[in-house]
Each structure stands twice: as C-alpha cells, then as structure tokens.
Amino acid sequence: MATFEPGHLHIQRHALNKDDVSYDLHLDYEVVQDPKEGKGMRFTLHGSMQGKDMSESFFLPKDMSCNFASNVTKIAEKYGIPKTHSNIGSIHKNYDAMFEDVRVQLNVKSGDPVKPEHLE
C-alpha cells in the first residue's frame, strides 16, 4: 500500500510469511538551501523496516534530486531489506507523482545540466 501527497510518501508492506519483508515508511521532503550546493531537496525516511525503527535524512542538490529512489533503496538495504526486495519504489504511480512534485518544486526541466562531480 502506498499513499502520496505533496511533500510526503507513505509506503507500507506486510510480510506474507517468515521469508517475506515488511516495512512501514514515510518519506518526507522539502526544498532547502545548502550553503555549498545551493538549492536542493532534503529527504527524511522514517518508520520501520523489518520491525526495526529507523530515521535517516539525506540532501540531494537540484541537479540530482530526481535520483531519490536510489538513495531510498540503499537505505532500505542498510536497514535489512534484502536486495531482492529493496526496490521499494516499485509502486510506480506514487513514485511518479512524487518525482513530478520534486521537479515542480525545484523547477527542474528536461535537459538541465548535471554537475559532473555529482556523478562520481
């Protein structure tokens, strides 16, 4: 199950058996001004994964802000979600809405340049 509203995505999954995974996550985000990188988006992922409470924040500069799903996947794996289940972004309709909201809030356009140092 997933629900989206601008600035917030809630993703929930209940394990179907002992070998399955469960999580109840909230992904909040807001535009911030970083002194070094400039305008970008701060994301906070909080809730529970595999029954363990967690909260972790990360910042992405404007040119990398639409790559948030990669960071969320890495955090999920860090907190115990197996790689075979870590793509919690598979709820495309809601992620697509969030992706578009991030683009609008930061005024990101197709073809905008990406700083090469952000790709390292």
Side-chain angles (χ1 to χ4, degrees), residues 97-118:
M98 183 176 162
F99 177 83
E100 186 58 30
D101 186 45
V102 167
R103 285 177 51 132
V104 168
Q105 287 192 41
L106 289 173
N107 194 30
V108 174
K109 305 279 190 253
S110 292
D112 281 356
V114 174
K115 291 182 179 179
E117 58 269 23
H118 289 161

Side-chain angles (χ1 to χ4, degrees), residues 1 12-23 50 85:
M1 176 197 98
Q12 188 174 41
R13 176 185 166 90
H14 298 286
L16 300 175
N17 59 50
K18 67 179 181 67
D19 298 320
D20 202 2
V21 298
S22 64
Y23 44 81
Q50 297 290 76
H85 289 87

Side-chain angles (χ1 to χ4, degrees), residues 75-90:
I75 293 169
E77 291 170 359
K78 176 181 169 182
Y79 283 90
I81 302 294
K83 286 184 186 279
T84 56
H85 289 87
S86 65
N87 185 12
I88 59 179
S90 62

Side-chain angles (χ1 to χ4, degrees), residues 3-119:
T3 57
F4 168 77
E5 61 186 55
H8 180 81
L9 177 65
H10 179 215
I11 310 165
Q12 188 174 41
R13 176 185 166 90
H14 298 286
L16 300 175
N17 59 50
K18 67 179 181 67
D19 298 320
D20 202 2
V21 298
S22 64
Y23 44 81
D24 185 3
L25 300 172
H26 299 268
L27 181 56
D28 300 314
Y29 57 97
E30 63 182 342
V31 175
V32 297
Q33 188 71 29
D34 183 78
K36 182 180 174 188
E37 295 287 349
K39 191 175 184 182
M41 193 69 71
R42 179 179 33 240
F43 297 86
T44 302
L45 183 65
H46 57 98
S48 64
M49 289 191 200
Q50 297 290 76
K52 300 174 193 160
D53 289 342
M54 60 81 55
S55 180
E56 196 161 321
S57 294
F58 59 95
F59 170 82
L60 292 175
K62 179 180 176 178
D63 63 334
M64 298 301 292
S65 62
C66 293
N67 195 32
F68 63 87
S70 174
N71 292 67
V72 170
T73 297
K74 288 175 185 170
I75 293 169
E77 291 170 359
K78 176 181 169 182
Y79 283 90
I81 302 294
K83 286 184 186 279
T84 56
H85 289 87
S86 65
N87 185 12
I88 59 179
S90 62
I91 36 107
H92 290 289
K93 179 180 84 170
N94 294 289
Y95 254 36
D96 289 348
M98 183 176 162
F99 177 83
E100 186 58 30
D101 186 45
V102 167
R103 285 177 51 132
V104 168
Q105 287 192 41
L106 289 173
N107 194 30
V108 174
K109 305 279 190 253
S110 292
D112 281 356
V114 174
K115 291 182 179 179
E117 58 269 23
H118 289 161
L119 300 174

